């Protein structure tokens, strides 16, 4: 959370790699908020972070609202039907 507060609103940040950090759903909510504030972010890696369907929906909503993001890694997280629908929605927008 402290790291995300530090990058909040950055005008130069292009990539965040948080893979294998077990941020879970709480961390995903913080990352989602940062995604909407950092307009330069192009890549984010959130692989293997114990993100559940609830966290994935929150994340994908932020991804759908971010028009600069070109790459996101969510491998190694639980993807159920609800998560898959959230990902499909984000990709559609």
């Amino acid at each position: 959370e402290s790291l995300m507060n530090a990058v909040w609103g950055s005008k130069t940040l292009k990539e965040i790699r948080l893979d294998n950090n077990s941020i879970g759903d709480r961390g995903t909510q913080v990352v989602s908020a940062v995604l909407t504030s950092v307009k330069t972010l192009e890549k984010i890696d959130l692989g293997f972070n114990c993100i559940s369907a609830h966290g994935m929906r929150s994340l994908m909503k932020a991804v759908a609202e971010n028009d600069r993001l070109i790459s996101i890694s969510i491998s190694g997280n639980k993807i159920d039907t609800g998560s898959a629908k959230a990902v499909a929605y984000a990709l559609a927008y």
Side-chain angles (χ1 to χ4, degrees):
E1 194 168 328
S2 295
L3 175 62
M4 292 295 101
N5 288 336
V7 301
W8 187 276
S10 171
K11 296 187 185 342
T12 58
L13 186 66
K14 292 189 178 216
E15 183 174 353
I16 297 176
R17 297 193 65 182
L18 295 173
D19 54 316
N20 293 295
N21 277 289
S22 299
I23 65 170
D25 291 342
R26 172 70 181 121
T28 304
Q29 290 175 345
V30 175
V31 170
S32 297
V34 168
L35 276 175
T36 60
S37 76
V38 179
K39 302 300 181 190
T40 56
L41 192 62
E42 296 176 351
K43 298 179 182 181
I44 189 164
D45 186 348
L46 296 170
F48 300 92
N49 270 300
C50 304
I51 301 171
S52 75
H54 176 72
M56 196 62 68
R57 284 190 299 272
S58 171
L59 178 64
M60 290 302 122
K61 184 174 184 284
V63 167
E65 295 171 2
N66 184 313
D67 60 352
R68 298 272 303 171
L69 197 62
I70 57 173
S71 174
I72 182 169
S73 175
I74 53 172
S75 62
N77 292 293
K78 294 180 181 180
I79 304 291
D80 63 3
T81 304
S83 299
K85 287 179 182 179
V87 171
Y89 172 81
L91 294 175
Y93 295 93

